[in-house]
Amino acid sequence: MENPTKLRLLATTTFVLLLHNLYLTTADLNSDAHALLKFSSTVPHLRKLNWNSTIPICTSWVGIKCNDEGTRVIAIHLPGVGLYGQIPPDSIGKLDALRILSLRSNLLSGTLPSDITSIPSLQSLYLQHNNFSGDIPLPLSPQISVLDLSFNSFSGNIPQTIKNLTRLTSLNLQFNSFSGALPDLNLTRLRVLNISHNMLNGSIPISMQKFPVSSFEGNSFLCGPPLSQCSSLTSSPSPSPNYLPSMPFHSKRHTKLSTGAIVGIAVGGFFLLLLLAFFLFFCLKKKNEDSVGALKVQAVTAGKNEKSDDFGSGVQAAEKNKLVFFDGSAYNFDLEDLLRASAEVLGKGSYGTAYKAILDEETTVVVKRIREVGVPKKEFEQHMEFVGRLGRHPNIVPLCAYYYSKDEKLLVYEYMHTGSLSSLLHGNRGIGRTPLDWDSRVKISLEAAKGIAHIHSEGGAKFTHGNIKSSNILLTRDLDGCVSDLGLAPLMNFLPTKSRCIGYYAPEVIETRKFTQKSDVYSFGVLLLEILTGKAPLPSSGQDEVVDLPRWVRSVVREEWTAEVFDVELMKQQHVEEEMVQMLQIGLACVTRVPDMRPSMEEVVKMIMDLRPSDSSENRPSSEDNRSNVVTP
Ligand SMILES: *[C@@H]1O[C@H](CO)[C@@H](O)[C@H](O)[C@H]1NC(C)=O
Ligand SMILES: *[C@@H]1O[C@H](CO)[C@@H](O)[C@H](O)[C@H]1NC(C)=O
Ligand SMILES: *[C@@H]1O[C@H](CO)[C@@H](O)[C@H](O)[C@H]1NC(C)=O
Ligand SMILES: *[C@@H]1O[C@H](CO)[C@@H](O)[C@H](O)[C@H]1NC(C)=O
Ligand SMILES: *[C@@H]1O[C@H](CO)[C@@H](O)[C@H](O)[C@H]1NC(C)=O
Ligand SMILES: *[C@@H]1O[C@H](CO)[C@@H](O)[C@H](O)[C@H]1NC(C)=O
């Protein structure tokens, strides 16, 4: 009699607790949304923000990023949105899970509310290039590691409490009106310090003398290494007002802030950049075609042609040649941000060059410049909209934005931290290499198969990927496999015939130059054989001929030396050979010569899943759930 009551009680309690949790989490996200709406309704902005309580905040609001669980807002990126006026207290300051706030390059003014700098979780604050004034508000969150207040009108002393920010790595306060003495910032993690062009005085503390001259210059009354020695004069009490450097400084500020001057500087800067970029381009091109300068050159040229450099000229001009973002993209930056970002060549693919662009400490994207696009703008846009929707799958690299002009086509993708399967399998063979274990290889195969199966089932019977290969399977931090370059093959008016691709082409593709879903299956089969053998279907060193992986594997298997085909790195693992043999059979089924005899991708997914019927690694809620939010906004 007692037990059922107890059970019921327990059940009720659990239920109440669950409800309570649910209520709590939604309440938190609701209060975040509420605070953000207050911000967007009180702070005017030149560009529209799509923030609206009728659409989901974590997946659809521009510039907003949530935690993995989708329960709190953790980052706001709104650079160059044309925000102006003051930030009211009790708006952004209410987001008490916020880690990153970037409002750089706007026209914000007035004092910065102290509830923002004291958000306990705040790690990075980017407010450079605004017109904030007054003191740095106190207290400062002890978590702060990046503080960029440069190019504003802040004044007063640099507060002593900065000394207590032990996590601080980067402090940029240049071009403000700070005065008084420098606090002694003996912070072990501090790598970037810039307090140039203020009105600071006194001597530079010993612990800060390791920073270069340019960290300090433009403060007429600051002295000591690395600047010139302090004379006895500077240590005398306050200099007469005539000597205060405020006049030239202020005129500098005013020129900077007048719209005409901004445009002037921007245009001048652009031409300078252009010149510099061309110079760099030609210098580097001689040495190495894959130069960092190349993106800048071409992209700057594009920007110039499109006259997208003029921020002040209003919304329309700015809207016209912007990057086109997809619904649900959490990013918010523009072409200029992209051009300003530091870029690094990741590699040359079949269709163009890929660059890694670091927009700020927290935002990294991959920009693909694609060549020889065979379709006009309208068609390109329609195709990209289609591909953008189709690509919303946890095993496809998300496409965030694209840019199309006559001279330049850019695709912006999310950056995948672990690089490609190809580099994990073949890169850095030698000492210090951690081989990819069998479990990871099975997991990545399955995820890649799911991504391709999704493309085939949702894209329509005619839609293919057309370029499945190990360098197009990219991996997240958690080694989740994602298919990249979706939808590029149909845009191109040529068939890449570089030997890097040929090894993956089905025999009929080489004959007919046409891709089908069955030819994708063939390429995937080659990929499976590559994963199993550790051999790449590429020309091996010293010979031009491409390794025909399927033929080689078939010949070895025919001789019944099956064990010989497997990657030596896998042979060290125990109890996996049976699974490897089964995987080999799946791979061989995919590379059957007759297209109709090949399984469909759906079937391939099932076969790989059947390798391990009770695979618990399938329930990885953290990353998959997070991504599926994006799929169903
Ligand atoms: C939010 O969206 C709804 C419908 O989509 C619209 O009626 C409403 O005006 C929007 N609100 C704001 C503040 O934009
Ligand atoms: C900074 O830290 C010291 C101890 O390390 C403490 O005494 C002081 O009150 C702190 N200052 C502020 C403003 O928090
Ligand atoms: C620095 O300037 C402040 C006023 O801004 C003054 O009170 C102080 O004495 C000056 N210190 C030195 C060392 O010149
Ligand atoms: C900086 O701090 C370290 C310990 O935190 C100390 O050993 C060192 O002497 C300090 N340097 C200066 C110049 O104060
Ligand atoms: C500090 O900022 C100024 C102005 O932006 C720049 O010219 C200088 O190179 C910077 N110095 C350092 C060390 O970052
Ligand atoms: C910037 O702020 C200062 C005072 O805070 C003001 O005098 C100046 O006009 C502002 N500049 C612009 C361009 O709004």
Side-chain angles (χ1 to χ4, degrees), residues 38-49:
K38 174 166 180 190
F39 174 79
S40 68
S41 63
T42 47
V43 180
H45 35 279
L46 300 176
R47 286 204 215 150
K48 206 167 161 284
L49 293 177

Side-chain angles (χ1 to χ4, degrees), residues 138-140 160-166:
L138 296 175
L140 298 169
Q160 293 288 330
T161 39
I162 288 191
K163 286 198 239 178
N164 283 11
L165 303 181
T166 49

Side-chain angles (χ1 to χ4, degrees), residues 204-271:
I204 295 171
I206 295 168
S207 59
M208 294 158 81
Q209 292 179 355
K210 61 184 178 200
F211 292 101
V213 174
S214 71
S215 290
F216 304 101
E217 65 195 355
N219 291 286
S220 317
F221 293 93
L222 203 58
C223 63
L227 303 179
S228 55
Q229 280 304 323
C230 298
S231 68
S232 52
L233 194 126
T234 43
S235 60
S236 69
S238 56
S240 88
N242 291 353
Y243 290 101
L244 279 178
S246 61
M247 280 326 286
F249 178 79
H250 271 291
S251 61
K252 199 184 253 165
R253 284 222 68 80
H254 284 296
T255 36
K256 179 193 158 269
L257 290 168
S258 90
T259 320
I262 290 177
V263 173
I265 290 169
V267 171
F270 250 95
F271 277 106

